[in-house]
């Protein structure tokens, strides 16, 4: 594996801001703009199988009657006003070609169709309505035109509202495959395109239940179509959307040239000011601007118009081949992302690039500082987010990016690619498994805690199992604790710098290169305690750390650690290190260093090195009460080899050589 230089942290910070760009001209747009693929579905068969004409009419129906339709009643264009509380039940038949006006009573959902009008006071017999496309003339399945796809959009949304108005709580779709036009403004509803309006909107207090054979498809957009959404929850509440396959237009649409392409495309599902919403078991495929977008109406600093998204659960879903991001979360609170699978997010495809960001989950609220006062104004807020039990592989950028958001917990997930966070507080990355499988993943880091300034604090990386990366955990953030992680088969285990007020404790680190590394940087009030370390090159490698006058009072403490192989601990051109009460199955190297304390170490047991070797221009180095064992290798090695240019600057007190 390649060794990662410390300056990589500077490069990584750009990634954490989610500002990466891909040259969109590298991937050619489709030759045929807006071409619709050939889809020829087999229509689902409705249960209205009886064809025998009814031998009765409705003119003599008594109040409170129950009529069982085991035949077909043709109303011949008439309008029938029914007496009170008539019940229409279904037994394989139908009623059509007319209008019924109810005065109370019920009707079986199987009898509803575009060939029957109903009015008045009536409720569905059952709260579950089963949809069959062939019974609704406004719905056309399969390959179609933009105009017909637009009618599909209008009609499906109308049917949600229509059936709900008669008591439907659940709208159930079986075998179904249709395109929906979502890119055009639709007067009189809108003269300007709004993706939350032009989508198929799911109403409040409603469950949309789809099968594995339910396919809803975005009608391909053109280069002029900026954004859209296939399904939407807009200013609505108490909604469940489950099952089905939502197909985006990623490789079917055209994109404008240049960087604008990153702003174009459609999501397959939008939640905008949704409350108590559950997305369960949905399969998302080929979203052109991503798959799921979660945001809110209004700005958080304006209570008069702010309508936050609250209590959203996304669970058991599959996200496949999303361009840009699988889930974009820019505004919301109490969000749960549970037990989902993310595959190949943000990679180039046949007719499209990977887009911007390229993370499976991107949390990025908008905020800005007032240029005059410096006050931080939060346009959007994301907080109280749980990301748990998910599996991610093959993302072009990474698994999770927490660019701006608070109190985010990422727990018990299986990730292949990298995770980054920046401007966040109260965030926990705990008990996850990071395993690099592809060569691309192996050449990267697993976790990077980037410098988020004053708004980043009280963050935790703990209990993670990390294997196979060039760099396991990197941080240049303050107030970030890294504890109880297990790192194996990585080139570098823990790399830090530009860090303050953090603890890196109780980790188990085995690497092929440097287990713990900090170079060309500074660190203040950092403790590394009770770690078990097995470095393939150095256990600890500090070089040019705190070596500027302004860092003269900075301190790093390594205490009660166990270093389990013959590799060395190295402090070169490093200042302000306390190394005490450790066990080292190897030696220490101290060169051109100052303000170094090596004390109370119970075991320094070298083989092919000196116990403690000092070289170069050292100053203020204290060796106190250490237990050193005679090197077992070549005769030239000794317990303490003070080869400093100023040996008098070394205080050697109470050390033993066994």
């Amino acid at each position: 594996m390649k060794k990662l230089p410390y300056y990589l942290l500077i490069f990584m910070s750009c990634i954490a801001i989610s500002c990466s760009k891909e040259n969109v001209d590298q991937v050619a747009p489709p030759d045929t703009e807006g071409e619709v693929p050939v889809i020829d579905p087999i229509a689902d068969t409705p249960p209205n199988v009886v064809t025998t004409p009814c031998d009765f009419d409705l003119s003599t129906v008594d109040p409170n009657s129950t009529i069982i339709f085991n035949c077909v009643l043709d109303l011949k264009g008439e309008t029938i006003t029914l007496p009170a509380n008539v019940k229409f039940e279904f037994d394989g038949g139908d009623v059509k070609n007319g209008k019924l006006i109810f005065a109370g009573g019920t009707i079986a959902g199987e009898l509803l169709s575009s060939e029957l009008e109903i009015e008045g006071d009536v409720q569905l017999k059952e709260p579950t309505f089963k949809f069959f496309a062939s019974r609704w003339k406004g719905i056309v399945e399969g390959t179609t035109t933009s105009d017909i796809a637009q009618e599909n959009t209008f009609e499906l949304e109308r049917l949600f509202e229509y059936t709900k108005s008669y008591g439907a709580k659940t709208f159930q779709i079986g075998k179904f495959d249709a395109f929906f036009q979502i890119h055009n403004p639709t007067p009189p509803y809108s003269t300007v395109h709004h993706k939350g309006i032009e989508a198929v909107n799911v109403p409040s207090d409603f469950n949309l239940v789809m099968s594995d054979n339910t396919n809803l498809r975005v009608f391909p957009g053109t280069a002029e179509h900026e954004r859209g959404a296939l399904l939407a929850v807009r200013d609505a509440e108490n909604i469940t959307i489950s099952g089905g396959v939502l197909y985006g237009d990623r490789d079917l649409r055209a994109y404008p040239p240049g960087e604008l392409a990153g702003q174009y495309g459609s999501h397959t599902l939008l939640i905008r000011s949704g409350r108590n919403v559950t997305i369960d078991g949905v399969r998302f495929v080929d979203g052109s601007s991503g798959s799921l977008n979660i945001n809110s109406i209004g700005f958080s600093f304006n209570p008069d118009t702010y309508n936050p998204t609250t209590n959203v659960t996304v669970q058991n879903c599959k996200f496949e081949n999303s361009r840009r991001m699988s889930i974009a979360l820019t505004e919301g609170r109490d969000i749960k992302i549970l037990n989902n699978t993310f595959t190949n997010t943000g990679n180039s495809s046949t007719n499209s690039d990977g887009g911007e960001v390229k993370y499976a989950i991107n949390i990025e609220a908008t905020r800005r500082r007032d240029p005059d006062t410096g006050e931080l104004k939060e346009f959007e807020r994301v907080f109280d987010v749980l990301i748990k039990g998910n599996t991610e592989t093959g993302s072009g950028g990474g698994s999770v990016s927490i660019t701006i958001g608070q109190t985010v917990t990422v727990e018990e997930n299986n990730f292949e690619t990298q995770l980054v966070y920046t401007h966040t507080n109260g965030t926990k990355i705990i008990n996850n498994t990071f395993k690099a499988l592809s060569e691309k993943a192996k050449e990267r880091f697993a976790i990077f805690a980037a410098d988020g300034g004053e708004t980043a604090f009280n963050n935790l990386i703990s209990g993670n199992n990390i294997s196979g990366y060039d760099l396991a955990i990197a941080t240049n953030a303050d107030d970030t604790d890294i504890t109880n992680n297990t790192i194996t088969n990585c080139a570098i285990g823990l790399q830090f710098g530009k860090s303050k007020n953090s603890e890196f404790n109780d980790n188990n680190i085995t690497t092929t290169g440097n287990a713990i590394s900090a170079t060309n940087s500074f660190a203040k009030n950092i403790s590394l305690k009770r770690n078990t370390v097995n470095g393939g090159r150095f256990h600890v490698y500090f070089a040019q750390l705190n070596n500027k006058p302004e860092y003269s009072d900075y301190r790093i403490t390594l205490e009660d650690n166990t270093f389990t192989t013959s590799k060395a601990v190295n402090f070169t051109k490093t200042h302000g290190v306390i190394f005490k009460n450790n066990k080292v199955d190897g030696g220490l190297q101290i060169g051109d260093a100052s303000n170094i304390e090596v004390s109370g170490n119970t075991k320094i047991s070298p083989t092919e090195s000196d116990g403690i070797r000092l070289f170069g221009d050292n100053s203020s180095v204290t060796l106190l009460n250490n237990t050193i064992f005679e090197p077992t290798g070549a005769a030239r090695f000794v317990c303490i080899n003070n080869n400093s240019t100023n040996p008098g600057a070394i205080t050697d007190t109470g050390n033993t050589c066994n």
Side-chain angles (χ1 to χ4, degrees):
M1 290 186 178
K2 296 188 293 294
K3 305 298 185 295
L4 295 183
Y6 194 82
Y7 61 74
L8 183 59
L9 286 181
I10 299 173
F11 167 73
M12 290 173 182
S13 65
C14 292
I15 298 174
I17 301 170
S18 297
C19 61
S20 62
K21 304 286 185 183
E22 181 173 339
N23 185 349
V24 296
D25 296 324
Q26 291 177 354
V27 181
D31 293 333
T32 53
E33 187 176 288
E35 183 175 335
V36 184
V38 176
I39 303 294
D40 188 17
I42 300 173
D44 208 357
T45 303
N48 310 75
V49 295
V50 175
T51 59
T52 304
C54 295
D55 58 2
F56 61 84
D57 60 39
L58 300 177
S59 60
T60 59
V61 173
D62 294 325
N64 304 310
S65 297
T66 298
I67 302 172
I68 299 174
F69 281 87
N70 56 6
C71 56
V72 178
L73 179 62
D74 188 344
L75 299 178
K76 299 179 180 179
E78 295 183 4
T79 296
I80 306 295
T81 300
L82 297 167
N85 299 320
V86 175
K87 299 178 181 178
F88 281 26
E89 297 192 357
F90 175 74
D91 187 18
D94 209 350
V95 54
K96 59 184 181 180
N97 193 22
K99 181 177 181 180
L100 300 175
I101 302 175
F102 285 82
T106 59
I107 185 169
E110 293 89 343
L111 298 174
L112 299 185
S113 74
S114 57
E115 296 192 69
L116 176 67
E117 293 183 64
I118 60 173
E119 286 185 5
D121 179 15
V122 63
Q123 291 287 295
L124 292 177
K125 180 186 176 185
E126 301 291 343
T128 296
F129 173 78
K130 296 180 180 180
F131 167 79
F132 296 91
S134 61
R135 293 184 60 78
W136 303 95
K137 293 180 180 179
I139 297 285
V140 176
E141 294 190 77
T143 303
T144 189
T145 65
S146 175
D147 288 344
I148 293 176
Q150 186 73 74
E151 291 303 315
N152 284 346
T153 302
F154 292 150
E155 182 67 358
L156 187 59
E157 182 175 308
R158 185 192 73 83
L159 287 175
F160 291 163
E161 296 286 357
Y162 175 73
T163 55
K164 179 190 172 185
S165 70
Y166 293 113
K169 300 293 185 183
T170 298
F171 192 98
Q172 191 175 94
I173 307 178
K175 188 184 296 182
F176 179 62
D177 200 326
F179 285 91
F180 297 85
Q181 175 58 270
I182 60 172
H183 298 107
N184 299 327
T186 53
Y189 309 104
S190 175
T191 57
V192 177
H193 182 269
H194 297 282
K195 58 185 177 182
I197 295 176
E198 316 308 340
V200 178
N201 278 264
V202 182
S204 293
D205 306 305
F206 202 71
N207 304 311
L208 173 59
V209 178
M210 298 176 283
S211 75
D212 291 343
N213 293 316
T214 304
N215 301 299
L216 309 185
R217 302 176 185 269
V218 173
F219 190 88
T222 69
E224 290 74 35
H225 289 146
E226 184 175 349
R227 295 172 182 162
L230 177 55
L231 286 180
V233 174
R234 183 177 184 274
D235 191 15
E237 59 193 6
N238 306 324
I239 292 169
T240 298
I241 299 173
S242 61
V245 187
L246 307 183
Y247 285 97
D249 61 345
R250 174 177 180 172
D251 284 337
L252 305 176
R253 64 168 294 137
Y255 300 89
E259 292 187 359
L260 281 177
Q263 303 173 19
Y264 281 60
S266 301
H267 291 92
T268 47
L269 178 59
L270 168 68
I271 299 174
R272 184 167 172 79
S273 296
R275 301 168 297 279
N276 302 325
V277 178
T278 298
I279 312 300
D280 190 358
V282 178
R283 182 181 167 207
F284 297 85
V285 181
D286 287 344
S288 57
S289 185
S291 294
L292 172 60
N293 182 274
I294 303 173
N295 60 51
S296 301
I297 296 171
F299 298 133
S300 65
F301 57 77
N302 189 345
D304 294 334
T305 58
Y306 183 44
N307 186 358
T309 286
T310 306
N311 190 21
V312 171
T313 299
V314 182
Q315 62 187 19
N316 307 316
C317 297
K318 294 181 179 179
F319 295 84
E320 303 171 18
N321 303 319
S322 299
R323 184 173 177 266
R324 302 188 68 232
M325 298 161 277
S326 289
I327 297 179
L329 172 55
T330 59
E331 224 292 336
R333 59 194 69 180
D334 193 10
I335 310 296
K336 300 178 181 67
I337 301 173
L338 311 174
N339 303 317
N340 304 285
T341 300
F342 300 88
T343 307
N344 295 331
T345 302
N347 291 307
S348 294
S349 188
T350 305
N351 289 319
S352 61
D353 64 356
E356 301 173 2
V357 183
K358 309 183 202 313
Y359 275 73
I361 302 171
N362 183 45
I363 299 175
E364 190 170 4
T366 298
R367 65 186 189 186
R368 302 189 184 101
R369 287 197 181 275
D370 187 292
D372 298 321
T373 66
E375 178 186 0
L376 186 65
K377 180 172 286 189
E378 294 181 302
F379 288 76
E380 298 173 306
R381 295 192 66 203
V382 175
F383 59 94
D384 293 348
V385 179
L386 175 62
I387 301 171
K388 184 174 182 179
N390 303 282
T391 298
E392 173 273 336
T393 56
S395 297
S399 56
V400 178
S401 173
I402 307 168
T403 304
I404 302 174
Q406 283 72 49
T407 55
V408 179
T409 298
V410 182
E411 180 178 7
E412 295 179 4
N413 302 282
N414 288 289
F415 294 141
E416 183 200 17
T417 62
Q418 63 196 28
L419 177 150
V420 298
Y421 69 76
T422 313
H423 304 287
T424 185
N425 59 74
T427 283
K428 300 176 182 179
I429 314 300
I430 56 176
N431 303 327
N432 302 283
T433 296
F434 291 82
K435 187 173 183 179
L437 301 174
S438 68
E439 289 303 314
K440 182 178 180 181
K442 291 176 182 178
E443 294 176 353
R444 301 163 78 176
F445 60 83
I447 303 173
F448 178 43
D451 178 13
E454 65 185 45
T455 61
F457 55 89
N458 191 29
N459 297 313
L460 176 66
I461 300 171
S462 182
N464 301 286
N465 283 281
I466 304 170
S467 62
Y469 297 84
D470 265 4
L471 172 56
I473 303 175
T475 178
N476 61 2
D478 297 344
D479 198 7
T480 294
D481 293 342
I482 300 174
T483 64
N484 292 293
N485 300 284
T486 299
I487 297 169
T488 57
N489 193 32
C490 294
I492 299 175
L494 170 62
Q495 182 169 277
F496 67 93
K498 298 183 179 179
S499 302
K500 300 178 182 178
N501 305 321
S502 299
E503 296 184 354
F504 308 147
N505 301 338
D506 302 298
N507 300 287
N508 193 320
I509 305 172
T510 301
T511 65
T512 59
N514 300 330
I516 300 171
S517 176
T519 62
N520 301 295
S521 191
F522 62 83
K524 179 182 181 181
N525 193 25
I526 302 295
S527 74
L528 297 100
K529 297 180 180 180
R530 299 179 301 278
N531 299 287
T532 300
V533 180
N534 183 341
R537 186 165 177 259
F538 288 102
H539 293 308
V540 178
Y541 184 76
F542 292 169
Q544 298 188 34
L545 181 65
N546 293 343
N547 65 339
K548 294 182 179 181
E550 58 265 36
Y551 308 141
S552 61
D553 63 342
Y554 287 12
R555 293 293 182 268
I556 303 167
T557 300
L558 294 97
E559 182 177 3
D560 294 326
N561 301 287
T562 301
F563 302 96
T564 61
T565 67
S566 61
K567 302 301 179 181
V569 172
N570 184 292
F571 306 139
T572 302
K573 294 184 179 179
T574 290
H575 306 270
V577 175
I578 300 170
F579 188 86
K580 65 181 182 179
N581 301 331
N582 301 287
K583 296 179 181 180
V584 187
D585 288 339
L588 274 68
Q589 299 177 6
I590 303 171
D592 296 313
S594 67
N595 295 318
I596 307 294
E597 175 190 327
V598 180
S599 64
N601 296 286
T602 59
K603 179 184 179 184
I604 299 175
S605 180
T607 55
E608 298 297 325
S609 68
D610 298 310
I612 301 176
R613 174 176 171 256
L614 301 111
F615 59 93
D617 184 15
N618 295 297
S619 63
S620 299
V621 175
T622 299
L623 310 180
L624 177 66
N625 298 332
N626 299 287
T627 299
I628 307 170
F629 291 83
E630 191 77 35
T632 58
R636 69 179 184 276
F637 297 131
V638 296
C639 285
I640 298 176
N641 180 4
N642 187 356
N643 195 29
S644 301
T645 57
N646 53 344
I650 311 302
T651 301
D652 180 351
T653 305
N655 300 289
T656 62
C657 184
N658 299 305

